[in-house]
Amino acid sequence: MPEPWRTGRFTRIEKINEAVLRFWIEIPELPVFNFKPGQFVTLDLPIGDKPVKRWRSYSIASHPDGTNIIELVIVLLEGGAGTHYLFNEVTIGTEVPVRGPQGVFTLPEQIDKDLFFICTGTGIAPFRSMINYIQLHNLEHKNIYLIFGCRKLCDSLYGEEMKAASQVLSNFYYLPSYSREDKENETIRHGYVHGIYQDILNAQKPNADFYLCGWKNMIDEAKQNILSMGYDKKSIHLELYG
C-alpha cells in the first residue's frame, strides 16, 4: 500500500547559494515521520492540473531523528515549474501535500561490503542521511567512500559536515572533486568523480556495493565504468534525478 498524502508545512528555508536551497518540512499530523535513510518524498505542488505535472520527488537529506520534520536540499532548474514555485512562492508556513516515505535506495541490512556513494550536486542528499544514521547508531561497516562532484568549492553541499564526519567515523572517506575550480588551488581534487572510484577499484578491487545518485549522464557513465571493471550489475543501485 502506498503511503497516504499528508499535509506538510514549511518551517525553515536556508539559502546555500543562488541555485540551491535547504527546506525543512513538518508533518503535523504525525508525531514522528519514520523513514529509512535514502528514501524520498513526493510533493504535490500547485503548478498544474494533472498529477504528473504537479508531483515532484526529492530525496530526504536529513536522517531519522525521532521528529516529524524532514530536510530537503533542492537545486533550481532553469525553466522548471516545480523549483520555480519552491524558490519563489514558498515561505515559512506554506503548506503542500506530501507523500512518503518511498523508495528502496537504502542501506543493506548488513554492511558487509565496501560502499561507494557516488554523487553530484544535490545527489548527496540520501548519502548525507545514510552517513549520519550510520554514525548515530554506530553501525558496523566496512570502508565507505563518499565521492562527491560539483563545479566549484562554493557548490560543495554539506562539505564541512562530511569532512568532520570523516574525522570521527572509522573507515569513512569523504572525497570531493571540483570540475571548474581554479587549477592553481592544489589543496583540492580537480575533475570529475569517475577518476576517483576508478583509481580505488584499480588499486584494490574490493568486494563492494555501489550507490549512484545524480543526473542521468553521470549515472550512465559510472554504471558502465563499474561494469567494465568486472562488477555485477546487482551490486549497482541507482537513484536518478531529472
Side-chain angles (χ1 to χ4, degrees):
M1 288 287 293
E3 290 290 325
W5 289 97
R6 297 183 171 96
T7 298
R9 180 183 302 130
F10 288 86
T11 60
R12 181 181 167 194
I13 303 170
E14 181 180 305
K15 182 178 180 180
I16 300 299
N17 54 45
E18 292 301 321
V20 179
L21 293 179
R22 297 167 71 182
F23 296 91
W24 284 261
I25 301 176
E26 179 185 21
I27 317 297
E29 68 187 76
L30 295 177
V32 178
F33 186 83
N34 289 311
F35 64 96
K36 295 180 180 180
Q39 290 190 300
F40 64 89
V41 292
T42 299
L43 309 183
D44 188 353
L45 305 176
I47 55 175
D49 297 327
K50 297 179 180 180
V52 70
K53 297 289 188 181
R54 301 193 310 264
W55 294 354
R56 298 292 187 274
S57 296
Y58 301 101
S59 294
I60 302 171
S62 50
H63 62 277
D65 61 1
T67 73
N68 62 353
I69 296 176
I70 57 173
E71 179 187 339
L72 308 179
V73 58
I74 299 174
V75 63
L76 179 65
L77 299 180
E78 186 175 349
T83 56
H84 181 273
Y85 172 79
L86 290 167
F87 274 63
N88 297 290
E89 303 295 333
V90 166
T91 58
I92 304 302
T94 297
E95 294 184 345
V96 297
V98 177
R99 186 169 69 185
Q102 300 167 273
V104 295
F105 189 75
T106 55
L107 291 167
E109 289 189 15
Q110 284 190 310
I111 308 176
D112 54 5
K113 301 179 183 179
D114 287 1
L115 298 180
F116 284 76
F117 296 157
I118 304 169
C119 59
T120 50
T122 54
I124 197 174
F127 302 134
R128 186 222 187 193
S129 180
M130 292 177 185
I131 292 299
N132 284 333
Y133 185 80
I134 289 169
Q135 184 174 352
L136 179 66
H137 293 276
N138 198 26
L139 298 185
E140 291 189 15
H141 60 276
K142 303 293 187 180
N143 293 319
I144 302 175
Y145 302 94
L146 174 56
I147 301 169
F148 169 77
C150 62
R151 293 181 177 182
K152 290 181 171 288
L153 275 166
C154 61
D155 303 324
S156 189
L157 305 178
Y158 305 115
E160 291 304 314
E161 181 181 316
M162 292 297 100
K163 192 183 300 182
S166 71
Q167 300 300 311
V168 295
L169 181 61
S170 64
N171 302 317
F172 170 53
Y173 305 94
Y174 173 56
L175 304 171
S177 187
Y178 307 92
S179 61
R180 297 189 184 177
E181 193 55 69
D182 187 347
K183 289 293 199 308
E184 294 181 0
N185 186 346
E186 298 179 355
T187 65
I188 62 172
R189 291 179 188 82
H190 298 274
Y192 298 97
V193 296
H194 305 292
I196 300 175
Y197 63 79
Q198 287 174 317
D199 286 346
I200 297 170
L201 297 178
N202 282 323
Q204 303 176 20
K205 195 62 190 298
N207 192 17
D209 278 324
F210 302 88
Y211 288 74
L212 316 178
C213 187
W215 298 108
K216 184 177 185 299
N217 288 346
M218 184 280 287
I219 286 181
D220 287 347
E221 184 172 347
K223 182 179 178 181
Q224 285 306 119
N225 289 340
I226 293 164
L227 291 174
S228 70
M229 300 180 83
Y231 287 93
D232 190 280
K233 64 181 180 181
K234 292 181 181 178
S235 68
I236 302 174
H237 312 271
L238 312 176
E239 191 73 283
L240 186 65
Y241 279 20

